[in-house]
Amino acid sequence: MSSTAIAAVESRNWLDLPDEVTAKILMKLSVIEVIENAQKVCVSWRRICKDPSMWRHIDMSNLGDLHDKFYDLEELCFHVIDRCQGNLIGINIDLFASTDILRYIAERTTGLKRLRLFSCLAYGFSDKGMIEVAPKFSLLEELEFTLCDISVEALKVIGKSCPLLRCFKFNNVKSPFDNDIECNDEALAIAETMPGLRHLQLVGNDIKDYGLEAILKGCPHLESLDLRECTRLTDVKKMCADKIKSLKLPNDPKDDYPYIPFF
């Protein structure tokens, strides 16, 4: 690079970037970084950070270690939901999702398409709360529960309330029962109420062959099925032959699975 080009780069005023370019850059930051740092840089960045389009997709994952140190993450979540001004499309919440947050989302947004919840057992998340808000999430297309306590009743309400659901992840759910009926209850609920699924992930679940058979019959449009660590299944390849384009078996590697430490 010539000295002239280097001088031009060094003298560039990054505040002169078009708003849409700056917004794309700021969206790479975490919620905390935007709220505590980026929006305080200058007036133009603050304006961009407060634009509702910045908050259509909210990622509040990997923030659990901050809960006791600096921030009330639930209040922060309320704040950024308000910033989207009803235009929220997708939200990820790790560790601190609560029924109050779900109610807040349901009351202030009408077009939610993606919801991902991870390990919400200790922060006021309730199965009854999910049953309450599910009818208000009728446009959901992608839903994930990992290490969340969701009952068969809630699964049925979700399936009936969200007819557009195409991707469902229901991971690390262990049954206290050992007979075919109880172990397969969740699978039967999915098969009964989620016929439009294209992608299903059941990593670490206690589903048995009968439950898998029900899913294959009840969800005829399935294209991908992830059954890693579903160790009670016995004949997955035979059951899924010529039915599933992308199949992950119980003993397949988990290198791309983000929750390996929880096995």
Side-chain angles (χ1 to χ4, degrees), residues 9-29:
V9 170
E10 291 177 345
S11 64
R12 179 181 296 164
N13 186 347
W14 296 100
L15 298 181
D16 291 336
L17 287 173
D19 284 359
E20 60 271 19
V21 175
T22 302
K24 288 182 179 180
I25 295 172
L26 295 177
M27 285 178 186
K28 303 293 184 181
L29 302 177

Side-chain angles (χ1 to χ4, degrees), residues 132 144 173:
E132 174 191 332
E144 176 178 345
V173 180

Side-chain angles (χ1 to χ4, degrees), residues 194-219:
M194 304 180 186
L197 287 182
R198 265 65 173 177
H199 310 282
L200 178 61
Q201 185 177 74
L202 299 171
V203 176
N205 285 19
D206 280 341
I207 182 175
K208 289 189 175 182
D209 290 352
Y210 179 71
L212 176 56
E213 183 179 358
I215 286 175
L216 294 174
K217 290 181 179 179
C219 305

Side-chain angles (χ1 to χ4, degrees), residues 32-244:
I32 297 291
E33 289 170 327
V34 171
I35 297 297
E36 293 298 322
N37 298 311
Q39 70 173 9
K40 299 177 181 179
V41 169
C42 62
V43 173
S44 62
W45 279 26
R46 182 170 182 80
R47 173 176 49 77
I48 293 170
C49 289
K50 297 188 74 172
D51 190 300
S53 64
M54 275 282 295
W55 305 99
R56 289 181 295 181
H57 301 273
I58 297 173
D59 186 4
M60 300 199 73
S61 57
N62 302 314
L63 299 179
D65 58 330
L66 298 174
H67 191 278
D68 297 322
K69 293 182 179 180
F70 310 108
Y71 307 101
D72 182 331
L73 294 180
E74 187 174 70
E75 287 299 321
L76 179 61
C77 192
F78 292 154
H79 177 65
V80 294
I81 290 170
D82 285 340
R83 284 200 173 189
C84 80
Q85 295 184 13
N87 296 308
L88 184 63
I89 294 175
I91 185 167
N92 301 335
I93 305 176
D94 282 7
L95 302 176
F96 68 94
S98 65
T99 297
D100 287 342
I101 288 178
L102 294 179
R103 287 194 187 110
Y104 205 79
I105 294 172
E107 291 169 358
R108 287 161 175 78
T109 63
T110 58
L112 189 70
K113 294 184 178 181
R114 181 177 51 79
L115 174 64
R116 173 188 165 278
L117 304 179
F118 168 71
S119 190
C120 303
L121 301 178
Y123 289 91
F125 175 83
S126 76
D127 190 69
K128 291 182 179 179
M130 195 65 225
I131 291 174
E132 174 191 332
V133 302
K136 299 179 181 180
F137 294 154
S138 60
L139 297 182
L140 268 184
E141 298 177 4
E142 301 177 27
L143 177 62
E144 176 178 345
F145 296 119
T146 294
L147 289 176
C148 296
D149 188 12
I150 302 294
S151 69
V152 172
E153 179 186 1
L155 286 177
K156 289 182 177 180
V157 172
I158 291 167
K160 293 176 181 178
S161 302
C162 306
L164 301 181
L165 199 61
R166 297 295 179 265
C167 178
F168 185 43
K169 299 181 180 182
F170 190 53
N171 300 320
N172 298 76
V173 180
K174 295 295 183 181
S175 170
F177 306 103
D178 192 38
N179 64 70
D180 286 340
I181 297 177
E182 283 85 354
C183 283
N184 287 313
D185 278 350
E186 292 90 355
L188 296 178
I190 292 170
E192 177 186 338
T193 65
M194 304 180 186
L197 287 182
R198 265 65 173 177
H199 310 282
L200 178 61
Q201 185 177 74
L202 299 171
V203 176
N205 285 19
D206 280 341
I207 182 175
K208 289 189 175 182
D209 290 352
Y210 179 71
L212 176 56
E213 183 179 358
I215 286 175
L216 294 174
K217 290 181 179 179
C219 305
H221 305 293
L222 270 184
E223 299 173 8
S224 68
L225 180 59
D226 189 346
L227 299 170
R228 286 176 292 179
E229 294 296 326
C230 294
T231 56
R232 297 190 180 193
L233 293 169
T234 62
D235 203 3
V236 176
K237 281 188 176 181
K238 182 178 179 180
M239 296 175 70
C240 297
D242 302 324
K243 296 179 181 179
I244 305 298

